[in-house]
Amino acid sequence: MALPRPHRFDVYIAAGGLLGGLLLVGIGLGTRPSSDPMTLLDGPWPVLVPLTVLAGCELLRRTAPRTALLTGTAAICADLVTQGNLATILMFTDVVYAAVLYGPLASARRIQWITGLLTVAGTLVPFAVWQVPEALLIGVVVGVVAYAPAATGWIVRNHRDAAEAARLRAEQTALLAEMDRTQAVTAERARMARELHDMVANHLSAIAIHSTAALSIDDPATSREALSVIRENSVDGLAEMRRLIGILRDGDREPSAVPTLDGLTALVDGARANGLDVTLDAGHHDAVPAPVELAAYRIVQESLTNALKHACPGRVTVSLVQRDGELTVAVSSPYGDRDGPRAPGSGAGLVGMRERAALLGGTFDAGPDGPHWTVRATLPLREGVPE
């Protein structure tokens, strides 16, 4: 199997170590004299073998750290029976460091334990055998060559992993923030769409129906009455539009006049002026949280708009009942084929009413109930529920 291509920095380390070792061999500078009892292979040539092998191991320090460490360990052991080379020792310490830093986590832990045990053994065994203080230096050398690089690699690895974890957490935080921003923008767009529909649709529907009636009936009195209703709804629609534009321009500032349940009487009167036969049974209710009050008003407003556009001739009933911590809003209108002009609908009104109820944790249902179309919403009266 072909070995992976070495990193450019590793090539520089290998070349530097090999050239440095050759320079030390050329000037005759070794770690032990030829008279040392450990020097079994005298002369400069045996030194070149472990030097070259460890230079090759440096090429694998990042791509195959365990292979580099096992091969380098054999090379450093072979270096012990020669006159030795400082460059060989330095490259071995770097291979140990790289094996801990770039190798698998389990291998990094084992290397620390093994080098630590070798350091302890290199300190105690020679001292126990020779009983001289100088024997402790062997443990110091083993610790400097083996354990110190492993410990350094472990510390650097921990810092690197901590930095990587912090980076991932920062990316996750940024992603969550972006998701929250997107959700907030989507929710605000949906809210403004509901407000725009509920504010303007009622007036535009009345304008469409009365203009159709004025065009279809050739009667000056009827046309004059229809034009009067059209003008009134146009003025009211423009006022609602200006109010919505004020909300958009002023950001989160609440509009000056928020619809309340006390305004249902005026809303019903306006529906009667547009031609609906409406009765209102608001009953007695205690103080209602502002979000619930606004939602109930908008649901009644949109239900009357739908009745104006689609209901058959007959009585439309609006009722509000407060019981057991809930406010129930019900609007019933005649259901069936309609002979007169009908305004087109898109279904956005039902979607908006359902969203308003869901945002407050309530329920919403709309559909035919015998000869009537009934809209029913149950809104819990919990303080602090956002609209």
Side-chain angles (χ1 to χ4, degrees), residues 247-293:
I247 296 174
L248 292 173
R249 285 181 173 175
D250 296 338
D252 293 334
R253 195 182 73 183
E254 290 295 326
S256 57
V258 177
T260 64
L261 294 182
D262 295 334
L264 289 179
T265 301
L267 182 65
V268 169
D269 291 340
R272 292 193 185 108
N274 289 328
L276 284 179
D277 180 12
V278 187
T279 60
L280 173 63
D281 181 14
H284 172 73
H285 56 80
D286 299 328
V288 177
V292 177
E293 197 168 21

mmCIF file of all heavy atoms in Angstrom, residues 247-293:
data_model
loop_
_atom_site.group_PDB
_atom_site.id
_atom_site.type_symbol
_atom_site.label_atom_id
_atom_site.label_comp_id
_atom_site.label_asym_id
_atom_site.label_seq_id
_atom_site.Cartn_x
_atom_site.Cartn_y
_atom_site.Cartn_z
ATOM 1 N N ILE A 247 -47.068 51.358 12.033
ATOM 2 C CA ILE A 247 -46.464 50.250 12.786
ATOM 3 C C ILE A 247 -45.150 49.835 12.147
ATOM 4 O O ILE A 247 -44.137 49.625 12.827
ATOM 5 C CB ILE A 247 -47.441 49.052 12.849
ATOM 6 C CG1 ILE A 247 -48.700 49.438 13.625
ATOM 7 C CG2 ILE A 247 -46.767 47.856 13.515
ATOM 8 C CD1 ILE A 247 -49.763 48.356 13.603
ATOM 9 N N LEU A 248 -45.141 49.730 10.812
ATOM 10 C CA LEU A 248 -43.929 49.301 10.121
ATOM 11 C C LEU A 248 -42.810 50.324 10.278
ATOM 12 O O LEU A 248 -41.648 49.956 10.451
ATOM 13 C CB LEU A 248 -44.229 49.081 8.640
ATOM 14 C CG LEU A 248 -45.154 47.902 8.312
ATOM 15 C CD1 LEU A 248 -45.503 47.896 6.833
ATOM 16 C CD2 LEU A 248 -44.507 46.580 8.704
ATOM 17 N N ARG A 249 -43.127 51.592 10.204
ATOM 18 C CA ARG A 249 -42.092 52.612 10.302
ATOM 19 C C ARG A 249 -41.560 52.772 11.712
ATOM 20 O O ARG A 249 -40.392 53.055 11.923
ATOM 21 C CB ARG A 249 -42.644 53.950 9.810
ATOM 22 C CG ARG A 249 -42.784 54.030 8.292
ATOM 23 C CD ARG A 249 -43.301 55.380 7.869
ATOM 24 N NE ARG A 249 -43.269 55.513 6.415
ATOM 25 C CZ ARG A 249 -43.757 56.550 5.756
ATOM 26 N NH1 ARG A 249 -44.337 57.542 6.416
ATOM 27 N NH2 ARG A 249 -43.679 56.591 4.441
ATOM 28 N N ASP A 250 -42.427 52.600 12.706
ATOM 29 C CA ASP A 250 -42.016 52.822 14.088
ATOM 30 C C ASP A 250 -41.450 51.590 14.742
ATOM 31 O O ASP A 250 -41.179 51.585 15.937
ATOM 32 C CB ASP A 250 -43.212 53.325 14.912
ATOM 33 C CG ASP A 250 -43.701 54.683 14.416
ATOM 34 O OD1 ASP A 250 -42.889 55.370 13.780
ATOM 35 O OD2 ASP A 250 -44.865 55.026 14.658
ATOM 36 N N GLY A 251 -41.269 50.493 13.992
ATOM 37 C CA GLY A 251 -40.656 49.288 14.551
ATOM 38 C C GLY A 251 -41.591 48.603 15.518
ATOM 39 O O GLY A 251 -42.738 48.311 15.215
ATOM 40 N N ASP A 252 -41.062 48.365 16.750
ATOM 41 C CA ASP A 252 -41.820 47.610 17.742
ATOM 42 C C ASP A 252 -42.791 48.478 18.526
ATOM 43 O O ASP A 252 -43.470 47.983 19.425
ATOM 44 C CB ASP A 252 -40.859 46.910 18.720
ATOM 45 C CG ASP A 252 -40.059 45.835 18.021
ATOM 46 O OD1 ASP A 252 -40.533 45.297 17.015
ATOM 47 O OD2 ASP A 252 -38.949 45.564 18.485
ATOM 48 N N ARG A 253 -42.857 49.772 18.253
ATOM 49 C CA ARG A 253 -43.753 50.625 19.014
ATOM 50 C C ARG A 253 -45.195 50.254 18.736
ATOM 51 O O ARG A 253 -45.604 50.101 17.575
ATOM 52 C CB ARG A 253 -43.529 52.091 18.643
ATOM 53 C CG ARG A 253 -44.166 53.049 19.634
ATOM 54 C CD ARG A 253 -43.956 54.484 19.186
ATOM 55 N NE ARG A 253 -44.806 54.788 18.032
ATOM 56 C CZ ARG A 253 -44.785 55.949 17.400
ATOM 57 N NH1 ARG A 253 -43.934 56.882 17.773
ATOM 58 N NH2 ARG A 253 -45.583 56.167 16.369
ATOM 59 N N GLU A 254 -46.002 50.124 19.789
ATOM 60 C CA GLU A 254 -47.388 49.739 19.628
ATOM 61 C C GLU A 254 -48.170 50.868 18.966
ATOM 62 O O GLU A 254 -47.914 52.053 19.217
ATOM 63 C CB GLU A 254 -48.013 49.398 20.989
ATOM 64 C CG GLU A 254 -47.480 48.108 21.578
ATOM 65 C CD GLU A 254 -47.873 46.913 20.729
ATOM 66 O OE1 GLU A 254 -48.963 46.925 20.145
ATOM 67 O OE2 GLU A 254 -47.061 45.976 20.639
ATOM 68 N N PRO A 255 -49.124 50.554 18.133
ATOM 69 C CA PRO A 255 -49.938 51.591 17.518
ATOM 70 C C PRO A 255 -50.762 52.326 18.556
ATOM 71 O O PRO A 255 -51.008 51.829 19.653
ATOM 72 C CB PRO A 255 -50.821 50.799 16.536
ATOM 73 C CG PRO A 255 -50.826 49.405 17.076
ATOM 74 C CD PRO A 255 -49.499 49.201 17.710
ATOM 75 N N SER A 256 -51.226 53.516 18.192
ATOM 76 C CA SER A 256 -51.918 54.361 19.163
ATOM 77 C C SER A 256 -53.272 53.804 19.553
ATOM 78 O O SER A 256 -53.747 54.034 20.657
ATOM 79 C CB SER A 256 -52.076 55.776 18.580
ATOM 80 O OG SER A 256 -52.773 55.705 17.340
ATOM 81 N N ALA A 257 -53.948 53.102 18.667
ATOM 82 C CA ALA A 257 -55.287 52.593 18.959
ATOM 83 C C ALA A 257 -55.336 51.111 18.630
ATOM 84 O O ALA A 257 -55.492 50.727 17.474
ATOM 85 C CB ALA A 257 -56.334 53.349 18.148
ATOM 86 N N VAL A 258 -55.171 50.261 19.651
ATOM 87 C CA VAL A 258 -55.226 48.815 19.462
ATOM 88 C C VAL A 258 -56.667 48.367 19.629
ATOM 89 O O VAL A 258 -57.330 48.735 20.610
ATOM 90 C CB VAL A 258 -54.322 48.105 20.486
ATOM 91 C CG1 VAL A 258 -54.442 46.600 20.333
ATOM 92 C CG2 VAL A 258 -52.892 48.561 20.311
ATOM 93 N N PRO A 259 -57.202 47.587 18.699
ATOM 94 C CA PRO A 259 -58.603 47.138 18.825
ATOM 95 C C PRO A 259 -58.822 46.358 20.112
ATOM 96 O O PRO A 259 -57.967 45.572 20.543
ATOM 97 C CB PRO A 259 -58.791 46.246 17.594
ATOM 98 C CG PRO A 259 -57.755 46.697 16.616
ATOM 99 C CD PRO A 259 -56.586 47.130 17.453
ATOM 100 N N THR A 260 -59.967 46.588 20.749
ATOM 101 C CA THR A 260 -60.337 45.901 21.981
ATOM 102 C C THR A 260 -61.735 45.307 21.811
ATOM 103 O O THR A 260 -62.439 45.578 20.823
ATOM 104 C CB THR A 260 -60.312 46.859 23.176
ATOM 105 O OG1 THR A 260 -61.309 47.877 22.975
ATOM 106 C CG2 THR A 260 -58.940 47.515 23.322
ATOM 107 N N LEU A 261 -62.155 44.532 22.824
ATOM 108 C CA LEU A 261 -63.483 43.939 22.774
ATOM 109 C C LEU A 261 -64.572 45.001 22.875
ATOM 110 O O LEU A 261 -65.700 44.780 22.421
ATOM 111 C CB LEU A 261 -63.631 42.913 23.901
ATOM 112 C CG LEU A 261 -62.729 41.667 23.798
ATOM 113 C CD1 LEU A 261 -63.010 40.723 24.951
ATOM 114 C CD2 LEU A 261 -62.937 40.957 22.468
ATOM 115 N N ASP A 262 -64.242 46.152 23.465
ATOM 116 C CA ASP A 262 -65.235 47.232 23.527
ATOM 117 C C ASP A 262 -65.553 47.783 22.143
ATOM 118 O O ASP A 262 -66.592 48.424 21.952
ATOM 119 C CB ASP A 262 -64.714 48.369 24.425
ATOM 120 C CG ASP A 262 -64.572 47.918 25.876
ATOM 121 O OD1 ASP A 262 -65.302 46.983 26.266
ATOM 122 O OD2 ASP A 262 -63.740 48.494 26.595
ATOM 123 N N GLY A 263 -64.656 47.551 21.191
ATOM 124 C CA GLY A 263 -64.901 48.030 19.839
ATOM 125 C C GLY A 263 -65.732 47.085 18.989
ATOM 126 O O GLY A 263 -65.958 47.374 17.801
ATOM 127 N N LEU A 264 -66.182 45.951 19.574
ATOM 128 C CA LEU A 264 -66.993 45.017 18.783
ATOM 129 C C LEU A 264 -68.327 45.622 18.368
ATOM 130 O O LEU A 264 -68.858 45.305 17.299
ATOM 131 C CB LEU A 264 -67.218 43.728 19.583
ATOM 132 C CG LEU A 264 -65.998 42.812 19.763
ATOM 133 C CD1 LEU A 264 -66.369 41.592 20.589
ATOM 134 C CD2 LEU A 264 -65.450 42.382 18.403
ATOM 135 N N THR A 265 -68.868 46.483 19.221
ATOM 136 C CA THR A 265 -70.152 47.110 18.874
ATOM 137 C C THR A 265 -70.020 47.940 17.605
ATOM 138 O O THR A 265 -70.851 47.854 16.685
ATOM 139 C CB THR A 265 -70.627 47.986 20.038
ATOM 140 O OG1 THR A 265 -70.778 47.177 21.213
ATOM 141 C CG2 THR A 265 -71.975 48.615 19.704
ATOM 142 N N ALA A 266 -68.955 48.750 17.540
ATOM 143 C CA ALA A 266 -68.722 49.542 16.333
ATOM 144 C C ALA A 266 -68.440 48.648 15.134
ATOM 145 O O ALA A 266 -68.856 48.951 14.004
ATOM 146 C CB ALA A 266 -67.568 50.515 16.561
ATOM 147 N N LEU A 267 -67.734 47.536 15.368
ATOM 148 C CA LEU A 267 -67.448 46.612 14.272
ATOM 149 C C LEU A 267 -68.735 46.003 13.727
ATOM 150 O O LEU A 267 -68.920 45.888 12.507
ATOM 151 C CB LEU A 267 -66.499 45.510 14.778
ATOM 152 C CG LEU A 267 -66.050 44.479 13.748
ATOM 153 C CD1 LEU A 267 -65.208 45.138 12.657
ATOM 154 C CD2 LEU A 267 -65.230 43.367 14.440
ATOM 155 N N VAL A 268 -69.628 45.621 14.615
ATOM 156 C CA VAL A 268 -70.909 45.041 14.187
ATOM 157 C C VAL A 268 -71.756 46.093 13.478
ATOM 158 O O VAL A 268 -72.423 45.799 12.471
ATOM 159 C CB VAL A 268 -71.639 44.456 15.412
ATOM 160 C CG1 VAL A 268 -73.077 44.087 15.056
ATOM 161 C CG2 VAL A 268 -70.903 43.216 15.914
ATOM 162 N N ASP A 269 -71.732 47.324 13.985
ATOM 163 C CA ASP A 269 -72.481 48.388 13.314
ATOM 164 C C ASP A 269 -71.971 48.605 11.890
ATOM 165 O O ASP A 269 -72.754 48.838 10.956
ATOM 166 C CB ASP A 269 -72.366 49.692 14.118
ATOM 167 C CG ASP A 269 -73.126 49.615 15.448
ATOM 168 O OD1 ASP A 269 -74.016 48.750 15.562
ATOM 169 O OD2 ASP A 269 -72.816 50.414 16.355
ATOM 170 N N GLY A 270 -70.656 48.550 11.723
ATOM 171 C CA GLY A 270 -70.101 48.675 10.379
ATOM 172 C C GLY A 270 -70.532 47.531 9.473
ATOM 173 O O GLY A 270 -70.793 47.736 8.278
ATOM 174 N N ALA A 271 -70.593 46.305 10.023
ATOM 175 C CA ALA A 271 -71.062 45.170 9.231
ATOM 176 C C ALA A 271 -72.517 45.345 8.836
ATOM 177 O O ALA A 271 -72.929 44.992 7.711
ATOM 178 C CB ALA A 271 -70.865 43.878 10.013
ATOM 179 N N ARG A 272 -73.336 45.896 9.740
ATOM 180 C CA ARG A 272 -74.747 46.153 9.401
ATOM 181 C C ARG A 272 -74.850 47.188 8.284
ATOM 182 O O ARG A 272 -75.681 47.069 7.372
ATOM 183 C CB ARG A 272 -75.490 46.634 10.639
ATOM 184 C CG ARG A 272 -75.659 45.583 11.733
ATOM 185 C CD ARG A 272 -76.673 46.027 12.768
ATOM 186 N NE ARG A 272 -76.768 45.083 13.874
ATOM 187 C CZ ARG A 272 -76.310 45.313 15.100
ATOM 188 N NH1 ARG A 272 -75.708 46.468 15.380
ATOM 189 N NH2 ARG A 272 -76.444 44.400 16.036
ATOM 190 N N ALA A 273 -73.978 48.206 8.350
ATOM 191 C CA ALA A 273 -73.994 49.228 7.309
ATOM 192 C C ALA A 273 -73.631 48.639 5.954
ATOM 193 O O ALA A 273 -74.060 49.151 4.906
ATOM 194 C CB ALA A 273 -73.035 50.363 7.669
ATOM 195 N N ASN A 274 -72.824 47.571 5.955
ATOM 196 C CA ASN A 274 -72.445 46.915 4.706
ATOM 197 C C ASN A 274 -73.491 45.914 4.214
ATOM 198 O O ASN A 274 -73.294 45.284 3.174
ATOM 199 C CB ASN A 274 -71.116 46.202 4.879
ATOM 200 C CG ASN A 274 -69.951 47.171 4.993
ATOM 201 O OD1 ASN A 274 -69.983 48.250 4.404
ATOM 202 N ND2 ASN A 274 -68.931 46.785 5.754
ATOM 203 N N GLY A 275 -74.582 45.744 4.985
ATOM 204 C CA GLY A 275 -75.669 44.902 4.514
ATOM 205 C C GLY A 275 -75.861 43.611 5.267
ATOM 206 O O GLY A 275 -76.747 42.822 4.904
ATOM 207 N N LEU A 276 -75.083 43.348 6.306
ATOM 208 C CA LEU A 276 -75.244 42.114 7.071
ATOM 209 C C LEU A 276 -76.274 42.313 8.186
ATOM 210 O O LEU A 276 -76.371 43.386 8.786
ATOM 211 C CB LEU A 276 -73.909 41.696 7.696
ATOM 212 C CG LEU A 276 -72.868 41.065 6.770
ATOM 213 C CD1 LEU A 276 -71.610 40.737 7.561
ATOM 214 C CD2 LEU A 276 -73.397 39.818 6.091
ATOM 215 N N ASP A 277 -77.028 41.257 8.446
ATOM 216 C CA ASP A 277 -77.941 41.231 9.591
ATOM 217 C C ASP A 277 -77.209 40.545 10.737
ATOM 218 O O ASP A 277 -77.138 39.313 10.801
ATOM 219 C CB ASP A 277 -79.225 40.475 9.208
ATOM 220 C CG ASP A 277 -80.217 40.419 10.355
ATOM 221 O OD1 ASP A 277 -80.015 41.141 11.362
ATOM 222 O OD2 ASP A 277 -81.187 39.632 10.265
ATOM 223 N N VAL A 278 -76.636 41.326 11.647
ATOM 224 C CA VAL A 278 -75.731 40.802 12.669
ATOM 225 C C VAL A 278 -76.313 41.062 14.047
ATOM 226 O O VAL A 278 -76.844 42.155 14.323
ATOM 227 C CB VAL A 278 -74.334 41.459 12.572
ATOM 228 C CG1 VAL A 278 -73.365 40.774 13.526
ATOM 229 C CG2 VAL A 278 -73.821 41.406 11.151
ATOM 230 N N THR A 279 -76.215 40.062 14.908
ATOM 231 C CA THR A 279 -76.532 40.238 16.329
ATOM 232 C C THR A 279 -75.286 39.919 17.137
ATOM 233 O O THR A 279 -74.539 38.993 16.819
ATOM 234 C CB THR A 279 -77.677 39.311 16.762
ATOM 235 O OG1 THR A 279 -77.292 37.949 16.534
ATOM 236 C CG2 THR A 279 -78.942 39.622 15.985
ATOM 237 N N LEU A 280 -75.081 40.680 18.202
ATOM 238 C CA LEU A 280 -73.895 40.526 19.049
ATOM 239 C C LEU A 280 -74.321 40.161 20.448
ATOM 240 O O LEU A 280 -75.154 40.843 21.062
ATOM 241 C CB LEU A 280 -73.091 41.831 19.070
ATOM 242 C CG LEU A 280 -71.916 41.883 20.045
ATOM 243 C CD1 LEU A 280 -70.867 40.844 19.689
ATOM 244 C CD2 LEU A 280 -71.310 43.289 20.070
ATOM 245 N N ASP A 281 -73.760 39.073 20.953
ATOM 246 C CA ASP A 281 -73.991 38.652 22.337
ATOM 247 C C ASP A 281 -72.634 38.547 23.011
ATOM 248 O O ASP A 281 -72.003 37.482 23.041
ATOM 249 C CB ASP A 281 -74.735 37.306 22.361
ATOM 250 C CG ASP A 281 -75.008 36.839 23.797
ATOM 251 O OD1 ASP A 281 -74.864 37.666 24.726
ATOM 252 O OD2 ASP A 281 -75.342 35.646 23.972
ATOM 253 N N ALA A 282 -72.163 39.699 23.536
ATOM 254 C CA ALA A 282 -70.855 39.719 24.182
ATOM 255 C C ALA A 282 -70.920 39.238 25.613
ATOM 256 O O ALA A 282 -69.903 38.851 26.194
ATOM 257 C CB ALA A 282 -70.264 41.139 24.127
ATOM 258 N N GLY A 283 -72.117 39.280 26.216
ATOM 259 C CA GLY A 283 -72.237 38.827 27.582
ATOM 260 C C GLY A 283 -71.391 39.648 28.540
ATOM 261 O O GLY A 283 -70.941 40.757 28.237
ATOM 262 N N HIS A 284 -71.156 39.087 29.723
ATOM 263 C CA HIS A 284 -70.311 39.768 30.716
ATOM 264 C C HIS A 284 -68.967 39.043 30.786
ATOM 265 O O HIS A 284 -68.904 37.826 30.894
ATOM 266 C CB HIS A 284 -70.973 39.736 32.093
ATOM 267 C CG HIS A 284 -70.074 40.246 33.178
ATOM 268 N ND1 HIS A 284 -69.772 41.583 33.323
ATOM 269 C CD2 HIS A 284 -69.390 39.570 34.145
ATOM 270 C CE1 HIS A 284 -68.936 41.725 34.347
ATOM 271 N NE2 HIS A 284 -68.702 40.527 34.873
ATOM 272 N N HIS A 285 -67.922 39.838 30.687
ATOM 273 C CA HIS A 285 -66.588 39.232 30.785
ATOM 274 C C HIS A 285 -65.694 40.134 31.615
ATOM 275 O O HIS A 285 -65.826 41.371 31.615
ATOM 276 C CB HIS A 285 -65.978 39.017 29.392
ATOM 277 C CG HIS A 285 -65.899 40.261 28.558
ATOM 278 N ND1 HIS A 285 -64.919 41.202 28.701
ATOM 279 C CD2 HIS A 285 -66.711 40.698 27.563
ATOM 280 C CE1 HIS A 285 -65.099 42.179 27.843
ATOM 281 N NE2 HIS A 285 -66.188 41.903 27.129
ATOM 282 N N ASP A 286 -64.798 39.494 32.358
ATOM 283 C CA ASP A 286 -63.849 40.240 33.175
ATOM 284 C C ASP A 286 -62.740 40.793 32.298
ATOM 285 O O ASP A 286 -62.772 40.677 31.067
ATOM 286 C CB ASP A 286 -63.273 39.319 34.261
ATOM 287 C CG ASP A 286 -64.361 38.789 35.193
ATOM 288 O OD1 ASP A 286 -65.343 39.528 35.415
ATOM 289 O OD2 ASP A 286 -64.228 37.634 35.647
ATOM 290 N N ALA A 287 -61.759 41.395 32.945
ATOM 291 C CA ALA A 287 -60.616 41.931 32.207
ATOM 292 C C ALA A 287 -59.911 40.801 31.460
ATOM 293 O O ALA A 287 -59.669 39.725 32.018
ATOM 294 C CB ALA A 287 -59.650 42.621 33.161
ATOM 295 N N VAL A 288 -59.609 41.062 30.198
ATOM 296 C CA VAL A 288 -58.990 40.066 29.320
ATOM 297 C C VAL A 288 -57.593 40.553 28.948
ATOM 298 O O VAL A 288 -57.416 41.748 28.661
ATOM 299 C CB VAL A 288 -59.842 39.853 28.049
ATOM 300 C CG1 VAL A 288 -59.170 38.881 27.098
ATOM 301 C CG2 VAL A 288 -61.227 39.355 28.426
ATOM 302 N N PRO A 289 -56.568 39.679 28.982
ATOM 303 C CA PRO A 289 -55.225 40.104 28.546
ATOM 304 C C PRO A 289 -55.257 40.706 27.145
ATOM 305 O O PRO A 289 -56.013 40.266 26.282
ATOM 306 C CB PRO A 289 -54.402 38.809 28.596
ATOM 307 C CG PRO A 289 -55.121 37.950 29.591
ATOM 308 C CD PRO A 289 -56.575 38.287 29.443
ATOM 309 N N ALA A 290 -54.418 41.710 26.942
ATOM 310 C CA ALA A 290 -54.423 42.432 25.673
ATOM 311 C C ALA A 290 -54.212 41.523 24.464
ATOM 312 O O ALA A 290 -54.907 41.682 23.442
ATOM 313 C CB ALA A 290 -53.367 43.538 25.705
ATOM 314 N N PRO A 291 -53.265 40.551 24.487
ATOM 315 C CA PRO A 291 -53.111 39.683 23.310
ATOM 316 C C PRO A 291 -54.372 38.886 22.992
ATOM 317 O O PRO A 291 -54.732 38.717 21.822
ATOM 318 C CB PRO A 291 -51.937 38.771 23.693
ATOM 319 C CG PRO A 291 -51.191 39.521 24.729
ATOM 320 C CD PRO A 291 -52.227 40.272 25.497
ATOM 321 N N VAL A 292 -55.050 38.398 24.041
ATOM 322 C CA VAL A 292 -56.281 37.636 23.819
ATOM 323 C C VAL A 292 -57.375 38.551 23.285
ATOM 324 O O VAL A 292 -58.151 38.186 22.389
ATOM 325 C CB VAL A 292 -56.710 36.960 25.137
ATOM 326 C CG1 VAL A 292 -58.035 36.229 24.963
ATOM 327 C CG2 VAL A 292 -55.641 35.986 25.613
ATOM 328 N N GLU A 293 -57.442 39.764 23.817
ATOM 329 C CA GLU A 293 -58.450 40.724 23.381
ATOM 330 C C GLU A 293 -58.281 41.066 21.895
ATOM 331 O O GLU A 293 -59.239 41.088 21.127
ATOM 332 C CB GLU A 293 -58.335 41.984 24.236
ATOM 333 C CG GLU A 293 -59.549 42.882 24.174
ATOM 334 C CD GLU A 293 -59.499 43.953 25.247
ATOM 335 O OE1 GLU A 293 -58.391 44.246 25.760
ATOM 336 O OE2 GLU A 293 -60.569 44.499 25.558
#
